[in-house]
Amino acid sequence: MEMRLFVMSTSVIDILQLEYQRFSAKEKEIADYVIRNRQSINNINIKDLASYTNTSTSTITRFCKKVGCDTFVDFKILLNREAQKPRNDTDIFIKTQNLYNDIVNATAEMLDTERIEEVVELIKESRRIYVYGLGSSGLSALEFKYRLTRMNLVVDAVTDSHMMTMSASLLGKDDVVIGLSNSGRTTEVSHALNQARKRGAKVIGITNFDHTPLSEVSDICLFTPDIGRSGDVNFINSQLAIIYILDVMSLLLLEDENLLKARRQTLQALYSAE
């Protein structure tokens, strides 16, 4: 199966996130600092950055080349083009709105429409669909199950690691399994996806990072922004970007007349039962 996705993004922040797992420990320190301080990074020189991150200027130069920039100056120019104007986030209501807008906008920018449309077609053509996720990702898996069930698709959400392994062992070439994991390193999910792929099932991953166990086992991997990019450690809705992707996929599925008809039937049944 050769359907892997490698996102080519013009966003420096997107590249830092997707390539993060390939960075050395020192390069990760540089990436973390840049993401946290991207609004002011244009005001410091390479020696300052080396001092702030306990690295060397040569390490920073290698880091810049890894993300496609010849020099630190080139890196700052690209980053400055993306930087937003400073905002007043002292009002908690405005701050929350801005955080949500940041994640939604970043998710929209990272979307690969062709790959999402390909996933939608696989779902429509499949015999069965399984959605795997643990913890908060398990809640997103259940949400997607409810949506697809109302479209009369055969789907189940599996939020227990043992059940994931068992269901994966029974899948076949006409089945699709979708794995949800922000980190891409949820061992139980990746293990089950690997089992499903060995059985011939199509494997879809939705995660923040490339070069992880989940992205490596996926036939198609859809990438979402890491909420850490917001710079606010108190922002805890880690599923917002995943839900955005599931929303897009749901709307694309409802362009099919039969799926739309089934959803309307379930809505009518619910309304008549009240």
Side-chain angles (χ1 to χ4, degrees):
M1 289 180 266
E2 294 294 334
M3 295 190 293
R4 287 185 49 72
L5 166 64
F6 295 94
V7 173
M8 296 301 293
S9 173
T10 57
S11 167
V12 175
I13 298 299
D14 287 353
I15 294 172
L16 293 183
Q17 177 188 310
L18 293 174
E19 296 297 316
Y20 190 82
Q21 301 302 330
R22 282 188 169 179
F23 293 152
S24 67
K26 286 296 183 182
E27 289 168 344
K28 286 180 179 178
E29 289 185 34
I30 298 170
D32 291 340
Y33 183 90
V34 168
I35 292 172
R36 289 195 307 268
N37 300 279
R38 60 184 180 273
Q39 299 290 350
S40 59
I41 199 75
N42 200 49
N43 298 322
I44 66 175
N45 58 44
I46 191 170
K47 291 182 179 180
D48 291 335
L49 183 58
S51 175
Y52 297 152
T53 57
N54 296 312
T55 59
S56 65
T57 57
S58 59
T59 300
I60 293 173
T61 300
R62 287 195 299 271
F63 169 81
C64 291
K65 290 183 181 298
K66 275 193 177 181
V67 297
C69 299
D70 290 332
T71 66
F72 179 59
V73 172
D74 293 336
F75 177 77
K76 288 203 299 181
I77 290 172
L78 288 179
L79 192 62
N80 189 52
R81 289 174 183 171
E82 300 171 22
Q84 299 176 352
K85 294 180 181 179
R87 303 178 306 199
N88 182 3
D89 281 346
T90 56
D91 185 307
I92 192 64
F93 300 102
I94 295 176
K95 183 176 183 178
T96 302
Q97 178 184 354
N98 287 336
L99 288 169
Y100 269 69
N101 287 338
D102 287 347
I103 296 299
V104 169
N105 291 336
T107 308
E109 291 171 2
M110 291 184 75
L111 284 183
D112 187 303
T113 56
E114 291 184 3
R115 289 298 178 262
I116 287 185
E117 290 172 353
E118 189 174 357
V119 170
V120 167
E121 288 304 312
L122 288 174
I123 290 174
K124 289 162 61 176
E125 296 169 2
S126 66
R127 177 182 61 169
R128 294 175 299 183
I129 305 132
Y130 283 89
V131 191
Y132 295 167
L134 295 179
S136 296
S137 293
L139 297 177
S140 296
L142 288 167
E143 169 67 19
F144 200 43
K145 171 193 173 178
Y146 298 147
R147 296 185 188 188
L148 298 190
T149 297
R150 291 169 65 177
M151 299 179 202
N152 199 28
L153 292 167
V154 180
V155 57
D156 197 10
V158 186
T159 60
D160 175 85
S161 58
H162 290 167
M163 290 300 295
M164 286 180 196
T165 300
M166 287 190 285
S167 69
S169 69
L170 299 174
L171 296 179
K173 62 181 180 62
D174 296 321
D175 300 319
V176 167
V177 59
I178 302 172
L180 309 180
S181 171
N182 279 310
S183 69
R185 294 184 173 277
T186 308
T187 303
E188 298 88 343
V189 173
S190 299
H191 174 75
L193 293 179
N194 190 49
Q195 291 296 110
R197 188 173 185 180
K198 288 179 179 178
R199 295 285 301 172
K202 304 296 187 302
V203 175
I204 313 301
I206 303 180
T207 183
N208 294 162
F209 303 102
D210 201 357
H211 317 299
T212 61
L214 188 143
S215 68
E216 294 300 325
V217 77
S218 299
D219 296 308
I220 302 175
C221 201
L222 304 175
F223 296 105
T224 55
D226 175 21
I227 63 168
R229 289 163 54 157
S230 69
D232 193 316
V233 295
N234 295 317
F235 184 52
I236 60 174
N237 190 351
S238 63
Q239 296 299 298
L240 180 59
I242 287 179
I243 291 296
Y244 183 100
I245 295 288
L246 299 183
D247 280 343
V248 171
M249 291 167 59
S250 298
L251 289 172
L252 286 171
L253 285 165
L254 288 174
E255 290 183 348
D256 183 287
E257 292 184 4
N258 292 327
L259 301 183
L260 179 60
K261 180 180 178 181
R263 183 177 182 277
R264 286 173 174 167
Q265 283 182 264
T266 59
L267 281 174
Q268 185 177 3
L270 289 172
Y271 292 152
S272 62
E274 292 181 352

